[in-house]
Amino acid sequence: MIWLLLVWLQATGDVTGTVRTGGPIRQDAIIELVALEAGGTSEPVVDTLTIDQRDLSFLPRTITATVGTTILFRNSDPILHNVFSPAGPDGGFDLGTYPRPAARAHRFLEPGQWVVLCHVHPEMVAYIAIVASRWHTTADRDGRFALTGVPPGRYRLKAWFPRATPVVRDIEVASGRTTETHLELPTDRRRGT
Ligand SMILES: [Cu+2]
C-alpha cells in the first residue's frame, strides 16, 4: 500500500526555469507547455479567473488561461472603470463602465492574445494569453517560473512577452524529477516594457 502511494506521488514531474532578456529584467513572461506525444497530457482545464481593478491598475496585469475560461473583471476602486479589448481572435469586447463592487465577465473561446484597456484611464492595461494547453503560467518579477504536477513525457515549452513572438524549447519531463530550463527572450524594442 505504501509502495503504491509512493509510485503515485512520483508519477509527475516539475518544470522550473528562468526567462531573461538582453535588456532590463521584465516580469510577466508567459509560459506554456504543449504535449508532443499522442494521447497528450495537455488537455485544457476550464476555469473562472478574476482580474481586479484596484488603485488604477489591472491586477494581475498579465494572466494566462485555457480556452473556455471565463474571466471576471471586478472594480474595487471608489471610481468608475471601463473594460474593453479593441481586438483579439473573437474581435474584442466592451464590458461597459461600472462602479465598485461590480464584476462583469467575458468568456474566451479561442486561443490567442488580448490587450485589455479602460476608456476612463488610458494608462490602465492588462494582457491575457489564452492557450490550448492546461499547463501555463507567468514568470515572477525575477523571471522565475514553475509548473508542478506535470505527467512525464515530451513537451514543447513556449515562452514569450505579451504581444511578442514565442521562443520554444523541447523538454523531457520525468517522474519525480524537476526539469530546469533557462530561456533568453529577444527584447521587443517596438513596445518597450
Ligand atoms: Cu479605469
Side-chain angles (χ1 to χ4, degrees):
M1 195 63 186
I2 291 171
W3 181 81
L4 276 175
L5 181 64
L6 284 173
V7 168
W8 178 77
L9 282 173
Q10 303 224 322
T12 62
D14 297 340
V15 178
T16 64
T18 56
V19 173
R20 296 181 193 286
T21 67
I25 292 175
R26 285 177 54 181
Q27 57 177 310
D28 290 351
I30 296 155
I31 317 294
E32 180 189 7
L33 213 52
V34 181
L36 288 174
E37 287 161 353
T41 45
S42 58
E43 298 87 2
V45 173
V46 173
D47 212 344
T48 299
L49 303 173
T50 298
I51 293 182
D52 203 3
Q53 291 168 291
R54 188 179 287 271
D55 299 330
L56 297 174
S57 294
F58 288 106
L59 292 172
R61 185 167 176 262
T62 302
I63 203 166
T64 62
T66 314
V67 171
T69 293
T70 296
I71 296 184
L72 287 168
F73 296 88
R74 172 165 291 114
N75 183 353
S76 294
D77 276 335
I79 52 172
L80 291 173
H81 282 302
N82 161 268
V83 176
F84 80 104
S85 182
D90 58 4
F93 56 89
D94 191 337
L95 301 182
T97 302
Y98 48 94
R100 174 171 80 179
R104 293 185 184 174
H106 184 72
R107 191 165 181 224
F108 296 84
L109 297 171
E110 294 171 70
Q113 296 177 60
W114 285 256
V115 179
V116 180
L117 303 166
C118 168
H119 277 303
V120 186
H121 307 100
E123 71 274 23
M124 292 179 67
V125 60
Y127 300 99
I128 296 172
I130 300 295
V131 299
S133 168
R134 65 184 290 175
W135 308 108
H136 53 78
T137 188
T138 53
D140 67 15
R141 59 178 59 245
D142 297 319
R144 285 191 297 259
F145 66 89
L147 289 161
T148 57
V150 181
R154 290 170 56 243
Y155 292 84
R156 181 153 294 161
L157 179 70
K158 298 184 183 180
W160 71 96
F161 288 116
R163 307 177 77 181
T165 307
V167 168
V168 301
R169 178 85 53 85
D170 290 353
I171 61 164
E172 184 89 34
V173 177
S175 293
R177 304 282 292 271
T178 297
T179 304
E180 203 158 324
T181 306
H182 303 282
L183 292 153
E184 185 93 12
L185 295 191
T187 308
D188 187 351
R189 289 194 166 79
R190 288 168 301 164
R191 297 184 182 91
T193 50

